[in-house]
């Protein structure tokens, strides 16, 4: 039997406000355990929460960017549950009147397929703390620093049918929120994490299967592995005549497996009721207009503009514009050197190599656009060739802020040699060292020309101009 996956996502995104959602404690990542908390965010008796206005602004901007209807009158609710990482035993969230509903985003997968993913709702809430487990396995310590950090939770409809679609959707959310400046979306720090609700059903069926939920997956690679494992587990169980149990499961990235944590809760299990200490929120039409007018240029618009303004192919433009940080580097460098295609070349070759092979994240790129533009101008002036350029670019990319491109090229003698006499001497030396290959050329084997060019470039330490080398090699061969 052929099976179909059905998935919905709940994506939690920490907002980049300086202080927490209901108190003035810092939201800064890290810090010694239990040093970024106060009586309000730890829920001490007699304390009162006060909504951070910046949280509301960031949340509404997210809703508008994801094409949601903004609820003009919304309020907070208490979600009651008893876990050691939530000291007040309830979470302030939104159930009955979330601030955004009925949204939709269009995604494009790696294979080029486009699809619209519906968003059921987005709501504001406070984050919980975390538990630190002893390496010896005999103790667990709560860290409440993260309690009260502002979150939005984006709840999709069950529109996903593959891991590829899920990853494309998450990449779209990450790009959107980075452009908005409302979150750093650092999955490795928990700023963006996803709960995957997954079930399987016979292909062609309209009925949903029994779903399981995998909590707090914090990397694209882990999400792909989770989906592959859990869908296979459910299919195997059904084909054996077993029933899939609706439950929350924990993903163990080291073992590559999911494990049952608890039975899946429903809304009634949380005993929601209106939050008595925070008044309802009214959002005016004027506020919505102000937020709408302040929206940045998102990746889709940049892709179109890069094609029209700079002649950049759509596939390359999508990669560059997909990251706020790459787009900023591209645009600022082009503004200085006015050579968009050369800037595109070095981003798509060297920078993408550093990102894919060396694990460099776009947000960690420290390359100065002024130095990048200076490098581009040196390459465009033919002062160094592409091969030497890769060496210079790598040094510049990973160097400290005081790296001097001109000085590095001069100190290492990397400028191209365009001295015809020196190149002719090198050609003569290569011919003399390879008499058998010269005979092959005399006998009509013209493909050895490339060998001669390569040897001359090697003898010239890669600094000779390739065009000049090709020209002189051809001239000297014609004399044989």
């Amino acid at each position: 039997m052929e099976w179909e996956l059905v998935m919905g996502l709940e994506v939690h995104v920490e907002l980049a406000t300086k202080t927490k959602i209901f108190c003035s404690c810092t939201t800064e990542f890290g810090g010694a355990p239990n040093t970024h908390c106060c009586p309000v965010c730890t829920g001490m008796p007699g304390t009162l929460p006060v909504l951070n206005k910046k949280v509301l602004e960031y949340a509404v901007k997210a809703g508008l960017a994801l094409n949601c209807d903004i609820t003009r009158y919304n309020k907070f609710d208490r979600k009651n549950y008893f876990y050691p990482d939530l000291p007040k035993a309830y979470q302030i969230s939104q159930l009955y009147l979330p601030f955004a509903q009925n949204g939709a985003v269009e995604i494009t997968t790696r294979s080029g397929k486009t699809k619209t993913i519906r968003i059921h709702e987005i709501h504001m809430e406070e984050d919980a703390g975390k538990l630190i487990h002893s390496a010896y396995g005999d103790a667990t310590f709560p860290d409440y620093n993260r309690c009260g950090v502002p979150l939005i939770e984006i709840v999709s409809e069950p529109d996903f049918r593959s891991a590829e679609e899920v990853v494309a959707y998450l990449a779209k959310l990450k790009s959107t929120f980075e452009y908005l400046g409302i979150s750093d979306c650092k999955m490795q720090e928990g700023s963006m994490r996803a709960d995957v609700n997954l079930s399987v059903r016979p292909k062609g069926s309209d009925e949903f299967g029994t779903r399981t939920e995998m909590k707090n997956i914090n990397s694209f690679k882990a999400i792909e592995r989770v989906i592959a494992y859990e869908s296979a587990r459910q299919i195997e169980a059904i084909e054996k005549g077993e029933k899939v149990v609706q439950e929350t499961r924990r993903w163990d990235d080291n073992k590559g497996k999911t494990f049952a944590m608890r039975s899946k809760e429903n809304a009634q299990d949380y005993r929601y009721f209106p939050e008595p200490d925070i008044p309802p929120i009214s959002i005016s039409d004027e506020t919505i207009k102000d937020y709408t007018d302040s929206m940045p240029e998102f990746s889709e618009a940049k892709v179109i503009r890069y094609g029209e303004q700079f002649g950049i192919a759509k596939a390359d433009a999508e990669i560059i514009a997909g990251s706020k940080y790459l787009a900023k580097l591209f645009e600022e460098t082009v503004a200085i050197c006015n050579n968009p295609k050369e800037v595109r070349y070095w981003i798509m070759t060297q920078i993408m190599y550093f990102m894919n092979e060396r694990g460099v994240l776009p947000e960690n790129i420290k390359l100065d656009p002024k130095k990048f533009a200076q490098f581009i101008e040196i390459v465009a002036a033919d002062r160094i060739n592409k091969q030497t350029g890769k060496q210079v670019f790598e040094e510049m990319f990973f160097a400290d802020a005081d790296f001097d491109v001109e000085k590095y090229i001069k100190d290492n003698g990397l400028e191209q040699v365009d001295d015809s006499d020196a190149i002719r001497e090198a050609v003569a030396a290569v011919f003399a060292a390879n008499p058998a290959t010269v005979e092959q050329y005399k006998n009509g084997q013209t493909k050895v020309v490339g060998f001669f060019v390569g040897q001359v470039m090697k003898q010239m330490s890669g600094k000779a101009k390739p065009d000049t080398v090709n020209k002189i090699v051809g001239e000297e061969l014609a004399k044989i």
Side-chain angles (χ1 to χ4, degrees):
M1 180 181 292
E2 192 173 357
W3 297 91
E4 179 181 58
L5 278 65
V6 179
M7 291 175 287
L9 261 60
E10 298 167 15
V11 181
H12 295 81
V13 177
E14 288 185 350
L15 301 179
T17 55
K18 292 182 180 179
T19 56
K20 294 183 179 182
I21 186 169
F22 301 123
C23 69
S24 60
C25 289
T26 179
T27 58
E28 184 179 356
F29 178 76
N34 301 308
T35 57
H36 296 171
C37 47
C38 70
V40 175
C41 55
T42 54
M44 295 293 108
T47 58
L48 289 174
V50 177
L51 177 62
N52 182 341
K53 187 177 179 181
K54 204 69 176 177
V55 172
L56 180 66
E57 176 189 336
Y58 284 2
V60 172
K61 284 182 176 179
L64 292 170
L66 300 180
N67 306 300
C68 293
D69 298 327
I70 303 301
T71 309
R72 297 299 200 270
Y73 179 86
N74 61 92
K75 60 186 183 65
F76 285 95
D77 306 291
R78 281 193 187 180
K79 179 181 182 182
N80 295 276
Y81 63 98
F82 302 94
Y83 295 142
D85 59 357
L86 195 67
K88 60 189 178 185
Y90 65 86
Q91 179 188 41
I92 300 178
S93 182
Q94 292 184 306
L95 175 69
Y96 300 108
L97 289 173
F99 75 89
Q101 301 177 78
N102 305 320
V105 294
E106 186 174 277
I107 62 168
T108 302
T109 66
R110 287 190 295 261
S111 58
K113 176 186 174 184
T114 60
K115 183 175 183 178
T116 298
I117 302 297
R118 296 170 298 154
I119 293 173
H120 178 72
E121 68 173 55
I122 312 176
H123 56 262
M124 293 177 282
E125 62 186 21
E126 58 183 336
D127 208 346
K130 65 179 180 180
L131 300 178
I132 302 170
H133 302 288
S134 167
Y136 303 102
D138 58 355
T140 296
F141 306 98
D143 177 7
Y144 298 137
N145 280 350
R146 203 170 65 186
C147 281
V149 169
L151 287 178
I152 55 172
E153 180 175 346
I154 304 102
V155 182
S156 81
E157 299 289 357
D159 290 343
F160 301 97
R161 299 294 178 267
S162 69
E164 188 180 44
E165 291 177 0
V166 169
V167 169
Y169 172 74
L170 292 173
K172 179 66 172 284
L173 295 186
K174 186 175 188 293
S175 173
T176 300
F177 298 151
E178 285 176 347
Y179 274 113
L180 283 172
I182 67 171
S183 177
D184 60 26
C185 294
K186 292 180 179 178
M187 298 185 78
Q188 71 277 13
E189 294 182 3
S191 297
M192 179 175 171
R193 51 195 191 268
D195 299 344
V196 180
N197 290 276
L198 182 151
S199 65
V200 298
R201 66 185 180 187
K203 195 167 182 66
S205 173
D206 293 329
E207 294 184 11
F208 290 146
T210 302
R211 66 187 171 96
T212 58
E213 180 182 32
M214 278 61 67
K215 300 285 287 184
N216 294 328
I217 314 301
N218 63 354
S219 77
F220 291 168
K221 185 177 291 186
I223 282 169
E224 290 182 313
R225 294 177 67 205
V226 165
I227 292 170
Y229 174 83
E230 182 61 17
S231 58
R233 186 191 72 83
Q234 290 189 19
I235 291 169
E236 182 181 4
I238 295 169
E239 290 181 342
K240 286 181 177 179
E242 300 171 358
K243 286 187 176 181
V244 175
V245 177
Q246 181 174 324
E247 60 188 358
T248 298
R249 298 181 66 85
R250 177 179 62 86
W251 168 251
D252 188 316
D253 204 46
N254 293 323
K255 295 180 179 178
K257 294 182 178 181
T258 61
F259 296 90
M261 289 175 60
R262 58 183 180 269
S263 61
K264 175 64 180 166
E265 300 93 340
N266 292 307
Q268 61 266 29
D269 296 320
Y270 293 117
R271 295 178 292 110
Y272 280 97
F273 63 86
E275 169 55 53
D277 293 331
I278 302 176
I281 305 159
S282 293
I283 305 173
S284 68
D285 291 342
E286 183 181 9
T287 298
I288 297 296
K289 184 179 184 305
D290 288 344
Y291 291 165
T292 302
D293 291 344
S294 68
M295 287 288 172
E297 181 185 38
F298 291 110
S299 60
E300 297 86 348
K302 286 185 182 292
V303 169
I304 295 171
R305 180 166 66 82
Y306 289 176
E308 295 175 347
Q309 184 178 349
F310 303 127
I312 305 297
K314 184 179 179 182
D316 291 347
E318 286 176 341
I319 291 174
I320 295 171
S323 165
K324 169 186 175 180
Y325 307 98
L326 285 180
K328 185 173 184 288
L329 177 63
F330 172 77
E331 292 180 16
E332 290 183 357
T333 306
V334 169
I336 299 169
C337 69
N338 195 29
N339 194 337
K341 293 191 176 179
E342 195 70 24
V343 177
R344 176 215 65 84
Y345 171 82
W346 291 98
I347 289 177
M348 294 304 299
T349 54
Q350 292 303 99
I351 291 182
M352 292 308 298
Y353 170 78
F354 297 145
M355 288 172 59
N356 294 330
E357 299 298 322
R358 304 197 189 181
V360 176
L361 298 173
E363 57 266 32
N364 293 334
I365 293 174
K366 305 300 182 185
L367 183 58
D368 180 9
K370 291 181 181 178
K371 290 181 179 174
F372 192 4
Q374 182 186 20
F375 169 81
I376 294 295
E377 288 167 351
I378 289 170
V379 173
D382 245 4
R383 290 176 53 195
I384 57 175
N385 59 37
K386 282 283 198 294
Q387 194 58 41
T388 303
K390 290 180 180 179
Q391 174 188 337
V392 176
F393 189 87
E394 182 172 354
E395 290 292 330
M396 176 179 68
F397 187 87
F398 290 105
D400 296 330
D402 60 352
F403 180 80
D404 188 320
V405 180
E406 288 278 8
K407 185 176 186 301
Y408 181 81
I409 291 172
K410 182 179 179 181
D411 289 351
N412 290 276
L414 298 176
E415 283 208 56
Q416 286 198 114
V417 175
D418 199 22
D419 183 336
S420 296
D421 291 339
I423 293 173
R424 286 187 195 280
E425 287 182 13
V427 171
V430 168
F431 285 178
N434 297 277
T437 310
V438 172
E439 285 301 316
Q440 288 179 322
Y441 178 80
K442 288 181 178 180
N443 294 328
Q445 296 186 37
T446 56
K447 64 182 180 180
V448 299
V449 172
F451 168 79
F452 290 131
V453 170
Q455 290 300 303
V456 172
M457 290 296 295
K458 184 177 180 180
Q459 185 148 328
M460 301 290 292
S461 301
K463 294 185 290 183
K465 282 192 174 181
D467 290 347
T468 305
V469 172
N470 274 286
K471 178 175 175 290
I472 293 176
V473 167
E475 289 174 354
E476 294 304 308
L477 286 173
K479 298 176 182 178
I480 295 176

